[in-house]
């Protein structure tokens, strides 16, 4: 498997062309409020009203009648919003493109069936689903699956293929942190091994025989998306099997039932999967955990080079005992999107791009995720966040919930 540059690297750009999964949908971005989406086409609403179900006492005729009128009003409002918004494209296959060796590579394969119905039946139904409170259609996305939700209320404002299981790439490292932090001594030290340095993909450059703090490894994992740090942390947690079992239990406890971890790095592995819905659940949990939140909101970090001296110590002459080099977060939104809160990105050539992004604006916090997408996941996530802030009101009803 060939591994291009890390996801959202400044030199990595999506290729021009057309999305093979959405007929007539250009790869260029649409602008909320100025959508070029076709009018008069049917909006796929199958199951989108499930989250508005009412509890009715069969013996209370008056209550039942009132509930019926309320449901009818909501249905009418939803249909009116659907007519105003028009058709919202949603991929019908796993489809994305990327540049490799100067050539555009197109990926298209069968879309798996949704893995669960957590959060409401609408989220497992075909097509895109948008809150009836939206004043404009979401931007056209070059992602197989995506989701926008309110971080505080948990209401899902829009989603496409929310529960389809797909490769999470390095976004899985968020689950690694959530699951393994309680198991690893934060004051621990780790002597790097040759096996750490031999892992494929993005690495921070652990040097066999050199000693690193656990804090060094967490920063390498979540800022530098380092696979060698992921291997080291798994060893500190009792080995890869024990670590992935802890990740599985954590995912289940959080309600991320689509997620199947096979390793701590997110590198491609048979059966490993997550979903746009689960990435939002994991991102929300990360921002609620003070230790993980601090890491995913850090932009730069001084990482130690080779050596056995405790990082940060100095020699008798006052010189640093070990050299350091800057580690810069791969999450481009942290430095480019006003109000960005984190969380993580990912990319491999066989799973495509993934992203978990959150931001705050005017006291409101939103999260957007995507999976199996073209490489410019940061730009696309920013557009989904822009849409959520501009086109949906605070406390908007959802088509499901986290």
């Amino acid at each position: 498997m060939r591994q291009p540059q890390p996801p959202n690297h400044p030199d990595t750009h999506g290729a021009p062309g057309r999305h093979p999964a959405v007929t007539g949908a250009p790869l260029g971005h649409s602008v909320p409020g100025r959508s070029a989406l076709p009018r008069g086409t049917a909006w796929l609403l199958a199951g989108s009203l499930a989250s508005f179900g009412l509890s009715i006492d069969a013996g209370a005729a008056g209550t039942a009648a009132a509930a019926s009128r309320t449901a009818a009003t909501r249905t009418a409002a939803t249909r009116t919003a659907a007519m105003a918004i028009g058709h919202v494209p949603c991929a019908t296959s796993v489809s994305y493109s990327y540049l490799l060796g100067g050539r555009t590579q197109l990926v298209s394969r069968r879309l798996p069936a949704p893995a669960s119905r957590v959060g409401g039946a609408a989220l497992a139904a075909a097509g895109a689903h948008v809150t009836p409170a939206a004043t404009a259609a979401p931007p056209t996305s070059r992602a197989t699956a995506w989701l926008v939700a309110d971080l505080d209320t948990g209401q899902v404002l829009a989603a496409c293929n929310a529960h389809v299981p797909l490769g999470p790439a390095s976004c899985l490292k968020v689950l690694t942190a959530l699951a393994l932090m309680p198991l690893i001594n934060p004051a621990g030290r780790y002597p790097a091994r040759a096996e750490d340095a031999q892992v494929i993909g993005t690495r921070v450059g652990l040097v066999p025989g050199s000693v690193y703090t656990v804090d060094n490894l967490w920063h390498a994992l979540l800022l530098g998306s380092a696979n060698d740090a992921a291997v080291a942390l798994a060893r500190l947690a009792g080995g890869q099997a024990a670590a992935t079992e802890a990740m599985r239990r954590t995912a289940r406890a959080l309600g991320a039932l689509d997620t199947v971890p096979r390793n701590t790095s997110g590198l491609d592995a048979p059966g490993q999967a997550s979903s746009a819905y689960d990435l939002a659940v994991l991102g929300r949990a990360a921002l609620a955990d003070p230790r993980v939140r601090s890491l995913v909101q850090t932009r730069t970090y001084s990482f130690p080079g080779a050596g056995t001296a405790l990082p940060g110590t100095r020699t008798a002459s006052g010189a640093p005992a070990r050299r350091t080099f800057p580690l810069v977060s791969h999450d481009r939104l942290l430095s480019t999107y006003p109000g960005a809160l984190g969380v993580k990105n990912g990319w491999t050539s066989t799973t495509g791009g993934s992203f978990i992004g959150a931001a705050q604006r005017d006291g409101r916090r939103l999260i957007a995720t995507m999976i199996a997408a073209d490489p410019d996941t940061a730009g696309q996530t920013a557009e989904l966040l822009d849409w959520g802030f501009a086109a949906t009101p605070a406390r908007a009803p959802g088509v499901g919930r986290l």
Side-chain angles (χ1 to χ4, degrees):
M1 179 184 71
R2 294 182 290 180
Q3 295 277 64
Q5 292 177 321
N8 298 319
H9 188 282
D11 294 332
T12 302
H13 302 283
R18 306 187 75 82
H19 195 301
V22 182
T23 303
L27 280 179
H29 303 305
S30 61
V31 180
R34 289 179 286 169
S35 175
L37 297 175
R39 297 182 178 274
T41 53
W43 185 34
L44 299 177
L45 283 172
S48 65
L49 301 178
S51 62
F52 300 120
L54 300 171
S55 176
I56 300 175
D57 183 347
T63 303
S68 178
R69 288 193 296 272
T70 301
T73 299
R74 285 173 171 161
T75 300
T78 301
R79 287 174 177 164
T80 300
M83 292 174 63
I85 290 175
H87 176 66
V88 179
C90 184
T92 57
S93 65
V94 179
S95 304
Y96 56 90
S97 64
Y98 61 95
L99 284 175
L100 185 63
R103 300 182 61 181
T104 300
Q105 310 291 324
L106 297 176
V107 175
S108 183
R109 56 181 179 267
R110 185 176 179 180
L111 191 72
S116 75
R117 297 163 64 90
V118 180
L123 298 178
H129 307 282
V130 183
T131 173
T135 59
T140 300
S141 175
R142 303 190 302 277
T144 302
W146 52 266
L147 180 146
V148 184
D150 188 302
L151 260 178
D152 297 309
T153 67
Q155 294 294 315
V156 177
L157 304 174
C160 160
N161 294 327
H163 282 299
V164 170
L166 298 162
S170 285
C171 281
L172 191 70
K173 291 182 171 85
V174 174
L175 177 58
T176 301
L178 290 168
L180 302 192
M181 270 194 180
L183 306 180
I184 298 174
N185 179 5
R189 304 283 183 269
Y190 179 76
R193 304 184 184 187
E195 303 95 291
D196 305 328
Q198 291 168 1
V199 66
I200 64 172
T202 305
R203 298 184 294 268
V204 74
L206 296 184
V207 179
S210 292
V211 178
Y212 303 89
T213 67
V214 167
D215 187 62
N216 294 156
L217 298 178
W218 286 126
H219 280 87
L221 182 84
L222 292 176
L223 272 72
S225 203
N227 296 330
D228 47 358
V231 172
L233 289 163
R235 187 168 285 116
L236 285 170
Q240 198 68 230
T244 52
E245 174 58 22
M247 292 167 68
R248 186 194 67 80
R249 291 196 305 266
T250 299
R252 292 297 177 271
L254 291 171
L257 303 188
D258 308 329
T259 299
V260 180
R262 300 297 190 203
N263 55 46
T264 53
S265 65
L267 283 169
D268 302 330
Q272 183 154 270
S274 190
S275 66
Y277 180 91
D278 280 13
L279 292 185
V281 169
L282 298 178
R284 193 184 191 199
L287 293 174
D289 184 306
R291 289 180 63 191
V292 181
R293 180 175 67 242
S294 176
L295 288 163
V296 299
Q297 293 181 346
T298 300
R299 297 185 185 183
T300 61
Y301 178 78
S302 294
F303 195 85
T308 57
L310 186 66
T313 59
R314 294 183 174 274
T315 64
S317 64
R322 291 172 71 173
R323 296 182 61 183
T324 62
F325 60 91
L327 193 61
V328 180
S329 173
H330 285 198
D331 180 356
R332 275 182 22 210
L333 292 190
L334 277 178
S335 57
T336 62
Y337 194 87
L341 300 173
V343 191
K344 189 73 183 73
N345 65 326
W347 197 92
T348 79
S349 59
T350 52
T351 62
S354 57
F355 204 96
I356 309 170
Q360 179 171 329
R361 185 177 299 175
D362 298 326
R364 188 181 184 200
R365 302 191 310 157
L366 299 182
I367 188 166
T369 64
M370 60 181 55
I371 192 166
D374 283 6
D376 182 24
T377 49
Q380 295 179 79
T381 302
E383 289 190 340
L384 288 174
L385 291 169
D386 281 345
W387 170 82
F389 285 121
T392 67
R395 316 302 295 186
V399 293
R401 65 175 303 139
L402 299 179

